[in-house]
Amino acid sequence: MPQSRPFVSLATDFGAAYTAICAGVVYGIAPDANVLVLSDEITPFDVREGAMLLRQALPYLPVGVHVGIVDPGVGTSRRPLAIATGRGDVLVGPDNGLLVPAAEVLGGVTGAYALENPAYRLPQVSTSFHGRDVFAPAAAHVAAGADAADLGAAVEPLPLDVPPPVVRPGELTVPVLYTDRFGSLVLGAEPGDLAAAFGSLEPGTPFDVEWNVADGPSRTARVPFQLTFGSVAVGEPLLWTDSSGWLALGVNQGRAADALGLAGARILTLRAEPRP
């Protein structure tokens, strides 16, 4: 690591206590490390949400070793791995797609390695706390100077399981990536996808949004495209580009997931008249 003090970040769905244990393991192996808990509040088991947090946050953190853990498959045959990136970071976590979007924005994957070498684990490995026993020790050893390639065999990391947006003239179908703490839905499409489906858009352009929840009847809402929350009245919905560059659906000073009945929606379809 290029810093005089190696930098390690932790992002988990563990809550404070279990994440602090992971930080303690890192300090025990790499006492000079500067350890940041990026988040211990990822929604439990929500791999997409964790992946998007890492993708959004890691470019703003120092080059270092970044641990991401949202691991519903802990203790199964899923691999633990470390991913080296073009920027010089090493990402450590489960091989379930969690780390790949962040690696792509950090210069791409330059190598990926299964965490197999027992020298870089704790002596006893549980079946349910690989954050403590596998991921934190591996990250600490890399921060202390170990080469990621020493951790185990080279592997091909699994991609994140997210369907791509579907673009048609006058229609855009998008996956919901996650719901943030404000109740806004972050969508798996970018402004370029919106332009490809609808052409040049002016603020205020209305969209008809359709979705299904839990196999129930489809629901719809009329939502304008806007640049800021303040462009709509308090309690009114909007479609905008959020700070991560994704499209998002929110309510000014409200929760779109609740106000529009969007909780549990996985796919949204946006429709409007295409413009030249």
Side-chain angles (χ1 to χ4, degrees):
M1 297 294 104
Q3 293 86 11
S4 58
R5 292 185 63 194
F7 183 84
V8 179
S9 73
L10 300 170
T12 80
D13 62 352
F14 289 167
Y18 289 119
T19 305
I21 292 170
C22 296
V25 171
V26 173
Y27 281 125
I29 295 168
D32 293 333
N34 182 4
V35 180
L36 170 71
V37 175
L38 174 62
S39 177
D40 56 24
E41 297 180 333
I42 298 168
T43 300
F45 319 120
D46 196 330
V47 176
R48 286 188 189 180
E49 179 183 324
M52 292 306 108
L53 169 66
L54 294 170
R55 178 187 181 273
Q56 181 175 8
L58 296 191
Y60 298 96
L61 272 56
V63 174
V65 185
H66 306 292
V67 181
I69 311 172
V70 182
D71 194 14
V74 62
T76 69
S77 61
R78 74 92 185 90
R79 293 178 302 206
L81 84 167
I83 296 178
T85 73
R87 195 180 79 158
D89 305 88
V90 175
L91 313 184
V92 176
D95 186 19
N96 59 9
L98 176 71
L99 307 177
V100 172
E104 290 171 346
V105 299
L106 293 174
V109 176
T110 60
Y113 309 94
L115 305 184
E116 299 171 330
N117 190 332
Y120 301 112
R121 297 180 166 194
L122 293 190
Q124 300 295 322
V125 176
S126 68
T127 59
S128 59
F129 198 1
H130 285 187
R132 176 194 65 193
D133 303 333
V134 178
F135 300 129
H141 282 292
V142 173
D147 192 310
D150 294 336
L151 300 174
V155 296
E156 185 70 26
L158 295 174
L160 183 67
D161 181 19
V162 177
V166 178
V167 177
R168 301 183 182 94
E171 184 177 288
L172 178 63
T173 299
V174 296
V176 176
L177 297 178
Y178 66 98
T179 301
D180 71 13
R181 71 186 303 266
F182 296 100
S184 299
L185 277 66
V186 181
L187 310 177
E190 298 176 302
D193 300 309
L194 204 64
F198 305 105
S200 178
L201 293 177
E202 295 294 329
T205 300
F207 286 89
D208 290 314
V209 182
E210 182 178 2
W211 68 95
N212 292 83
V213 176
D215 299 322
S218 63
R219 304 181 186 182
T220 61
R222 177 63 64 92
V223 179
F225 174 73
Q226 292 289 3
L227 301 181
T228 68
F229 279 89
S231 299
V232 300
V234 172
E236 292 298 313
L238 74 156
L239 178 74
W240 89 105
T241 304
D242 87 343
S243 61
S244 65
W246 297 113
L247 300 178
L249 184 63
V251 167
N252 186 11
Q253 299 183 43
R255 298 181 58 84
D258 300 331
L260 300 177
L262 284 158
R266 301 295 287 174
I267 299 288
L268 304 182
T269 298
L270 314 178
R271 297 185 178 93
E273 290 296 323
R275 296 169 177 260

